[in-house]
Amino acid sequence: MADEPQKKPHLVGHTNGLTKPASLAAATRAGGGGGGGATASSKKLVIKNFRERPKLPDNYTQDTWQKLHEAVGAIQSSISIKYNLEELYQAVENLCSYKVSATLYKQLRQVCEDHVKAQIFQFREYPFLILLFLKKINKCWQDHCRQMIMIRSIFLFLDRTYVLQNSMLPSIWDMGLELFRNHVISDKQVQNKAIDGILLLIERERNGEAVDRSLLRSLLSMLSDLQVYKESFEQRFLEETNCLYAAEGQRLMQEREVPEYLHHVNKRLEEEGDRVITYLDHTTQKPLIACVEKQLLGEHLTAILQKGLDNLLDENRISDLTQTYQLFSRVKGGQQILLQHWSEYIKNFGTTIVVNPEKDKDMVQELLDFKDKVDHIIEVCFQKNEKFINLMKESFETFINKRPNKPAELIAKYVDSKLRAGNKEATDEELERILDKIMIIFRFIHGKDVFEAFYKKDLAKRLLVGKSASVDAEKSMLSKLKHECGAAFTSKLEGMFKDMELSKDVMVQFKQYMQNQSDPGNIDLTVNILTMGYWPTYTPMEVHLNSEMIKLQEVFKTFYLGKHSGRKLQWQTTLGHAVLKAEFKEGKKEFQVSLFQTLVLLMFNEGDEFSFEEIKMATGVEDSELRRTLQSLACGKARVLIKNPKGKDVEDGDKFIFNGDFKHKLFRIKINQIQMKETVCRGTD
């Protein structure tokens, strides 16, 4: 209430474009004056609320709904709307303001429902071809969505007030989905034909035909929006996929080689993954891919490996092996089966290298090459998987010990060939790398004591003959063995190196000692003093040295024992070697020979022909050793002696003649001693 000067105002209220009648109330209050006279001194204007809510004009609700009904009909018929959209929106707002929202919602739902119900008849009229049917239902769906978007824009005020406040009511959009689902897609005839059509298109695409993927995407999106995708489509789709790939897997396993088959499986997995991205619902991905993996891989794991893994490994098919590993890793239990076959392959292939005596010559090199190959496969194809690495080591250890001792002996011999002077095939870096690889193979062998025995024997020969390619390489190998087997394993080997260094110092002193002798002699003597416990056991052999050699031995003995009293020297004739000068018709030559060869050749200073028995008597060399010695001089490449009668073996009664016509392109010639077979020797020991 407000105090105003006295007047007669006229008030008009406007709400939502409708005119409301105004109600006025004025009150005056007179003030009494003195002396009983009543005069109007002041007046007040009083404004009160409407006594009743403004009324809508007669027939307003009915007329407005008629307009809205016409507009909805025009939208559904795809014709132009007579009325302005803003005017229609305002009309909905007016109706909602006057509590007719519930009626309006029901009327709208009924109109939409009648329209959707009418759509079903078009799908029953003609027996459409499947593609035409799918296009027609897709068009119906697209039209329905477009119509509902437009209808909702007109009835937006209703959607955001009344519908929002009533949780039990679906929004106008959801109502449209519900009506389409209930009256179109839930119709069994329509649904079955639609699903059949979609599955047919997918089947055609799987068979290599081009199909309308946008149509598939739209239809499957419709099923998802209508929340019938899983129950109506996915289950049947997965069943058909299962049957398709089960049959395809059985057929192609018979028809194709393993690389082709795996390539096909990979292609199928990529295709199905692409389908999920392009038109299937993302929730289908997991069961779909699992289905393909099970039918094309899971059912054939063992058959695939039995049929083709050995060939892939034999031929070193890196890309195919990579694909095999990747595909088998996708399937439960796939890696485990691959591991088993991987192990069996290594054992079988390795066994063929180790147990065949004919391959002994190349055994170690083949083992190294095989190890390089499987390492490369593990690194490139099997992603450095620890399980594959560990099983490979176990498999190597299994097969390499199927033939006791021989691999250990041959590994020692291989190391000897690499560390011996004259090995020009490797630089220091390459030699170091080869030794590292050898140590990996060495770890697998059980007979490490056998390796040590042969290694020690070969090392002794390299050190004594001065044929070691590199002291650094020798010490590097020693360090590797020490790291692998401990200090006790290499203590004797280290002692051998120490002996050689001490021997050098002793020989410097001996040379000085000899210079002070009155008769130093014509022979230049070099002696290596070996500590018995460090070196291999050599069987002493008494032979008949000439007087000058005996004299030199005594001189050295006097010199050494004079410095180291209490020690005992034992001469090892089997390890002795010499350089001999000889004259032939062609000219002078020098021979690098063993002590036994030396004793035989020196006899021919006294005569041109001797029998086997005469040589044996004169030299005192043991029978079998002498036969090998004579073989090397008369039956080898450098034939300084001529055997009569001719033949490879030395027999009793054979005669040997000095070959004055001996010719050779080299000035200094090394005549190798004929070796006994190591294994026989080792077995006897």
Side-chain angles (χ1 to χ4, degrees), residues 115-306:
H115 176 73
V116 172
K117 278 182 178 179
Q119 301 305 307
I120 195 69
F121 299 109
Q122 63 179 310
F123 301 113
R124 293 173 176 168
E125 289 175 0
Y126 307 105
F128 293 109
L129 292 173
I130 201 73
L131 189 59
L132 290 175
F133 178 84
L134 293 178
K135 286 181 177 178
K136 193 163 186 67
I137 201 165
N138 183 55
K139 183 178 184 304
C140 179
W141 164 249
Q142 297 295 339
D143 289 346
H144 175 77
C145 291
R146 179 178 47 77
Q147 292 161 11
M148 291 309 300
I149 289 169
M150 231 174 149
I151 290 168
R152 181 179 179 272
S153 68
I154 293 172
F155 289 84
L156 190 61
F157 191 85
L158 175 69
D159 208 29
R160 288 183 175 174
T161 54
Y162 173 73
V163 175
L164 202 60
Q165 292 159 8
N166 288 269
S167 59
M168 300 300 291
L169 292 178
S171 67
I172 292 172
W173 173 257
D174 289 341
M175 174 191 74
L177 294 179
E178 183 185 306
L179 294 174
F180 198 89
R181 178 173 61 244
N182 293 342
H183 299 295
V184 180
I185 287 300
S186 289
D187 183 273
K188 282 300 173 189
Q189 188 179 342
V190 173
Q191 187 181 110
N192 290 341
K193 200 165 186 180
I195 301 303
D196 288 345
I198 293 170
L199 291 173
L200 181 64
L201 287 186
I202 294 174
E203 183 186 342
R204 286 177 181 174
E205 188 182 46
R206 282 172 169 165
N207 291 332
E209 295 181 36
V211 298
D212 188 345
R213 292 184 129 206
S214 61
L215 175 62
L216 282 170
R217 182 168 56 247
S218 179
L219 289 169
L220 291 170
S221 176
M222 171 190 77
L223 296 178
S224 291
D225 290 344
L226 297 175
Q227 297 178 349
V228 295
Y229 177 88
K230 281 196 175 295
E231 63 188 58
S232 66
F233 168 77
E234 188 179 79
Q235 190 174 351
R236 276 189 62 191
F237 170 68
L238 292 174
E239 285 171 2
E240 292 202 6
T241 301
N242 203 55
C243 293
L244 168 74
Y245 287 126
E248 185 172 276
Q250 293 288 347
R251 177 172 54 82
L252 294 183
M253 272 300 294
Q254 301 296 323
E255 295 175 2
R256 299 192 180 184
E257 294 300 317
V258 167
E260 293 174 315
Y261 182 78
L262 292 177
H263 180 73
H264 176 79
V265 173
N266 204 50
K267 180 167 164 280
R268 283 302 203 191
L269 286 166
E270 287 175 358
E271 287 173 359
E272 297 303 336
D274 182 56
R275 277 186 193 98
V276 174
I277 294 169
T278 308
Y279 54 75
L280 294 171
D281 192 89
H282 69 93
T283 58
T284 307
Q285 180 171 12
K286 194 172 180 180
L288 172 61
I289 298 302
C291 173
V292 181
E293 289 171 349
K294 179 178 184 293
Q295 294 303 338
L296 294 185
L297 283 173
E299 298 292 331
H300 308 286
L301 292 175
T302 304
I304 289 169
L305 296 178
Q306 287 176 344

